[in-house]
Amino acid sequence: MLSNNDILKKLRVAHKLRDDDIIAILKLVDFEITKGALGDMFRSEDHANYQEAGDQILRNFLNGLIIHLRGPRPDKR
């Protein structure tokens, strides 16, 4: 089974995203993360600074990626 970190890594490669791009995508949904904290999630599991990506960051990244790829949701007025 894939971990949240694995899913983030695969999406980063598939969409050719750099760390700055991921930070910008997360800002689209008002989620702030530092470049260092993001880098810790992309380390190998046996590294001392490895951090597990929680459900919240994956959910916010996926929501931000939708906005990044399709644009903001149109106003229904």
Side-chain angles (χ1 to χ4, degrees), residues 5-73:
N5 295 58
D6 293 333
I7 294 169
L8 285 172
K9 287 177 189 177
K10 288 183 181 295
L11 287 170
R12 179 176 75 168
V13 171
H15 290 282
K16 299 176 185 166
L17 300 172
R18 293 175 291 140
D19 288 346
D20 295 330
D21 298 329
I22 294 172
I23 291 170
I25 287 170
L26 287 169
K27 282 184 182 179
L28 292 173
V29 290
D30 299 325
F31 190 87
E32 298 286 330
I33 191 168
T34 64
K35 198 170 192 175
L38 185 62
D40 290 343
M41 287 183 239
F42 292 123
R43 297 184 187 276
S44 65
E45 291 183 30
D46 58 349
H47 193 277
N49 293 334
Y50 172 79
Q51 288 289 334
E52 191 170 318
D55 293 339
Q56 182 181 14
I57 190 157
L58 182 60
R59 180 181 65 245
N60 283 310
F61 177 72
L62 292 173
N63 287 334
L65 189 62
I66 290 168
I67 294 170
H68 175 73
L69 296 174
R70 289 196 306 198
R73 179 176 250 170

